[in-house]
Amino acid sequence: MEKSISIQSLEDYKIGSVESLRLLRETIFADQQTTGKLVSVCCGSGCMSSGSEHVRDAFVRKIKDHELEDEITVKKTGCHGFCERGPIVVAGPEKIFYQHVTKEDVPEIISETLIENRVVERLLYEDPVTGQKCFHENDIPFYQKQRRIVLKNCGIIDPTSIEDYIKVDGFRALAKIISQMTPEGVIEEIKLSGLRGRGGAGFPAGIKWETARNAPGEEKYIICNGDEGDPGAFMDRSVMEGDPYSVLEGMMIAGYAVGASQGIIYVRAEYPLAVHHLSTAIARATDMRLLGHNIMGTGFNFEIKIVKGAGAFVCGEETALIASIEGKSGRPKPKPPFPAIQGLWGKPTIINNVETLANVSRIALNGGKWYSEIGTPTDKGTKIFSLVGKVRNVGLVEVEMGTTLREIIFDIGGGIPKGKRFKAVQTGGPSGGCIPEELLDLPVGYESLAKAGSIIGSGGMLVMDEDTCIVNIARYFLDFAQNESCGQCTPCRLGTKQMFKILQDITRGRGKPGDIEILLELSDAVKQASICGLGMTVPNPVISTIQYFRKEYEEHIHERRCQALVCRSLIFYRIKDYRCKACLKCLQACPVDAIIGAKWQVHEIDQSKCIKCGTCMEVCPKRFNAVECVTGLTEVLRDQSE
Amino acid sequence: MSDVTLNINGITVRADYGATILTAAHDAGIYIPTLCHCPDVSSIGVCRLCLVRIESRRRPEPACRTIAEEGMVVVTDDPEIERLRRVILELILSDHDFNCLLCPKSGQCRLQELVNRIGFKEHRFNRLDRVAKDLPIDTSNPFFDFNPNKCVQCTICVRTCHEIVGNDAIDMAYRSYDIRVSTFADQPLNESACMSCGECMERCPVGALVPKKAEYPNREVKTTCPYCGVGCGLYLGVRGNTIVRARGDDESPVNKGNLCIRGRFGYNFVDSPDRLSLPLMRAYDEFTQPSSVVEVTEEGRPVTLPLVKREGKFVEINWDQAIKYVASSLAHYKGEEIAAVSSARCTNEENYLFQKFTRSVLKTNNIDHCARL
Ligand SMILES: Cc1cc2nc3c(=O)[nH]c(=O)nc-3n(C[C@H](O)[C@H](O)[C@H](O)COP(=O)(O)O)c2cc1C
Ligand code: SF4
Ligand code: SF4
Ligand code: SF4
Ligand code: SF4
Ligand code: SF4
Ligand code: FES
Ligand code: FES
């Protein structure tokens, strides 16, 4: 038997057995132990868009210029979840965490941190609350309450390097399973873990696998759902980009468990980097014989293909996704039959979400019991949320189930910026609901959020402050829903359209008494009568906002009032004559010449011309503060009577 | 296979194994409203009007595609279900150009029936764009029109073209509110792959696909299509003494109610002034006595007779004369000297007789058929 591998032969190394995987891991470990310093540049989609590729190029160039290639290695990593602070660079043996790095900062990081082992203070993250500088990722409050299981490799390994993945225990779970466990044993382990689907519906993964295992048929399929169509969500993208091998390993374990030898990853075409990293991963794993025929000499075969989706939200629904892979138009089919019994090409098919599958190798390695102890008695493990909206720290956060919304928004997210008040948080994207301040201490979990009228869904979390109009938010989500409905079933096609129209009318000052009741009746009909999960859930934003913010709807309808001053038809700008100093500032700034006035003459706004852009309010000098924005019928009447 | 027993609205109902709740209910005389269901094609359950409550199921299920199971307890019309149906119907109407007085489908329209059954009191919803837009009617097909303003997106036409006709000329295109019946690349019907068989039109539950000529027959005559050897059974709808429509005979084992373009729409020749009604014969023959008497039926129409051509012109003769002439001419030849060609418009039986006659009477195997071209 082989005893050691020369690191030079890594390129052509083939893994023929469980033993040779172990050997390879040890070789990589030993080799990287001896190599010099490391600088990791985040090259996830977020940081790339803020220019991280230039930063990386600058590192490579400068290191070459200084002939330091043997001492310093530049590594590309996936997303750290803190894209808002990107480009992110982690440098040196101390793993100093730098944010907002530009290519101009590169020479200083090289000379200071990488050579002299000193910190470049100005690039550190500063805690806005305490003003303290944070040296390491773990010092940053954003990371402190997180528990990274799925994201454990993201931002650490080079997602295109199979060696990097193997070094962090990659494929160990697979090796253990295919050499030591029966498929039934694997399913038991997943059932024991309590892992539920992370794609939205939260179906227990173990039960789904068992159903597919027991379904008759020789040929079975594993599909990884990487469609991720929720607006603002990017957890699956980050996992596929930053840790693609974990997704492959999860699919292979699922394949072994249900008796499938073919896997398909369905990724939306708008995720080119994810597609690139996944295809690189598939190619490398196939080269190394970790994918394909007779994997590690155990007789287990598995292949993975990528299918690019055209990016319709509804194509994330499993039956529509299958139709799309089969080349048909992406419209959901009524269930039963469930895909686990009759899926792709009529064969038993497992569809799991990216995050669900990325959890699998962790569970397989550490045991179902380990996983079941994370989270709460009812909800196991962790969940990644994409925290967006009016919070200080926007980004991807992975927390244990049972963490409260308050902890996520205020401790991790750093609270609401600009001293504004928190108003509500929308979880679960277009299928979820709005949760008000009273319920902030709700622990996140499938049942707890459902009870509050929302869902975990795929993990979108949109934070809203007092400047957000709740009716407008409902309108926004319904607009999305009515456009993304596949259109085949009547309640969803026409019901969402009608709901959108009513909400649009309300925000445009054309609300009618009775609108709220009709909205609720339509919501109920769409939820109950639609075919697929889209129709069943898209009324949630409306139902929950009416439940918690009914008063705001009523103000819009009866008083023509938008307290957040968002709905343009319900607000107007006016100049307080007793404060106006006739400075001409607003008059000159108004884009439509709606302001009447002159030097020594108090200015006034011609409401018939005003387009409500708010420029006048912005330019009016703070010490005069003469322009105000008002809303409500009584205000209009008062203004007219004046 | 064996039957199943279930309970619908408190009544015990037996149904065939594999039958849907809808079939079970209808067989037991229980009405469930439907719109997208058509017994001739598979059910896809998209209109959601046939929703029923099934004990032990979380959500209402469509009766048209839920298989009846042993011991199932079904309720077809509790107040909740009725409310759902009413909302769905109101939604459909909010998107429908219901100018029934001007609609050729009126009186036979499923939507009208549903309004009567389910009830519709007031317009609570906004009229939607489709109606406001007044989409153009596709009149390109010579036999039927497609009016998208009346279409309820039931997809029966699409399923018909796919499952029965096998032509796939139409499909549902686009998404969300824009979903609609479309030919490939949105061409007008007559430029598409459509063969104008009219099967889709025949099944459209509303006034979206309607024949150009919409006259109601006052009686029907059962007959066989004269166009080809398949011999489809059909009913000719007659008004006065004019054929105004044709429909397939559901009971005919040959076509099971389906027809092609000729059978369904090609009946105009019957009353065509160009139609030959007597045998014609060329007059430079010695056989020159045209019949002086033209036999006339009770209604005063000529009994169809062969015609003969005289001096370069055709002259009308009667069938006896024509057959006698053909027979005497054939007598000059024998065996291999003769060849016979029969017509695709003859029935199988006629074609059989003709080849039998050719082989055993004329004693030649030189027999062929125009469909071999
Ligand atoms: C309208 C709609 C959109 C969906 N989009 C996604 C998606 O983008 N990604 C995903 O993983 N699941 C999505 N789902 C859920 C899938 O149908 C399916 O439940 C899921 O992929 C199963 O995987 P899981 O059990 O691992 O969650 C969607 C469902 C619906 C109804
Ligand atoms: S609920 Fe909406 S998206 Fe789902 S099948 Fe019906 S129309 Fe399509
Ligand atoms: S809101 Fe805009 S348009 Fe209206 S008066 Fe002010 S600057 Fe002019
Ligand atoms: S399709 Fe039916 S409901 Fe519509 S206009 Fe015609 S008859 Fe009336
Ligand atoms: S007329 Fe016949 S071929 Fe044409 S669309 Fe209808 S069913 Fe299809
Ligand atoms: S044309 Fe008729 S059959 Fe076709 S979808 Fe529209 S309503 Fe249904
Ligand atoms: S892409 Fe760099 S932190 Fe997200
Ligand atoms: S008739 Fe059953 S859903 Fe339309």
Side-chain angles (χ1 to χ4, degrees), chain B residues 22 33-37 44-51 62-65:
Chain B
L22 182 68
T34 61
L35 181 58
C36 69
H37 172 75
I44 56 164
V46 290
C47 77
R48 316 304 279 176
L49 278 161
C50 70
L51 290 180
C64 69
R65 69 184 316 283

Side-chain angles (χ1 to χ4, degrees), chain A residues 442-609:
Chain A
L442 207 65
V444 293
Y446 290 98
E447 313 311 329
S448 58
L449 287 191
K451 240 184 253 157
S454 188
I455 56 166
I456 288 190
S458 55
M461 199 174 266
L462 173 68
V463 181
M464 295 170 248
D465 68 5
E466 56 189 321
D467 289 344
T468 316
C469 169
I470 222 79
V471 187
N472 191 46
I473 285 289
R475 185 199 58 84
Y476 165 80
F477 280 113
L478 258 289
D479 192 16
F480 180 83
Q482 61 126 1
N483 277 320
E484 293 298 322
S485 155
C486 84
Q488 61 175 338
C489 69
T490 331
C492 175
R493 175 181 72 244
L494 300 175
T496 55
K497 177 101 180 160
Q498 288 287 3
M499 288 170 73
F500 167 69
K501 290 216 145 203
I502 296 171
L503 289 163
Q504 193 177 43
D505 278 354
I506 296 178
T507 56
R508 291 193 175 163
R510 293 197 299 258
K512 296 183 291 294
D515 276 356
I516 297 180
E517 288 67 30
I518 291 190
L519 276 175
L520 288 174
E521 181 161 2
L522 278 170
S523 298
D524 180 63
V526 175
K527 267 180 94 101
Q528 287 208 53
S530 294
I531 293 181
C532 86
L534 190 146
M536 287 179 215
T537 55
V538 291
N540 287 346
V542 177
I543 299 175
S544 63
T545 49
I546 293 182
Q547 181 183 352
Y548 297 119
F549 299 94
R550 194 181 180 113
K551 193 162 150 281
E552 240 176 86
Y553 276 84
E554 286 168 348
E555 284 172 2
H556 276 74
I557 296 170
H558 303 295
E559 300 169 27
R560 301 283 188 256
R561 242 168 92 72
C562 172
Q563 50 164 266
L565 302 177
V566 169
C567 300
R568 282 204 180 181
S569 310
L570 303 183
I571 59 171
F572 59 98
Y573 289 87
R574 68 179 174 206
I575 297 172
K576 296 184 247 181
D577 47 8
Y578 56 94
R579 304 210 62 153
C580 178
K581 298 284 181 287
C583 71
L584 297 177
K585 276 226 163 68
C586 62
L587 190 141
Q588 285 154 357
C590 177
V592 292
D593 292 334
I595 300 179
I596 312 155
K599 215 164 177 168
W600 310 116
Q601 183 194 333
V602 166
H603 300 358
E604 200 186 329
I605 296 175
D606 179 350
Q607 296 299 339
S608 64
K609 282 195 190 159

Side-chain angles (χ1 to χ4, degrees), chain A residues 275-292:
Chain A
V275 172
H276 173 60
H277 285 182
L278 285 167
S279 17
T280 310
I282 293 172
R284 283 297 285 139
T286 311
D287 275 356
M288 276 210 176
R289 307 257 164 90
L290 280 166
L291 264 179

Side-chain angles (χ1 to χ4, degrees), chain B residues 146 150-157 172 181 203-206 208-209:
Chain B
F146 172 57
K150 307 264 187 211
C151 175
V152 293
Q153 274 73 38
C154 70
T155 80
I156 290 176
C157 54
M172 300 309 285
V181 179
R203 288 176 182 78
C204 178
V206 295
L209 282 166

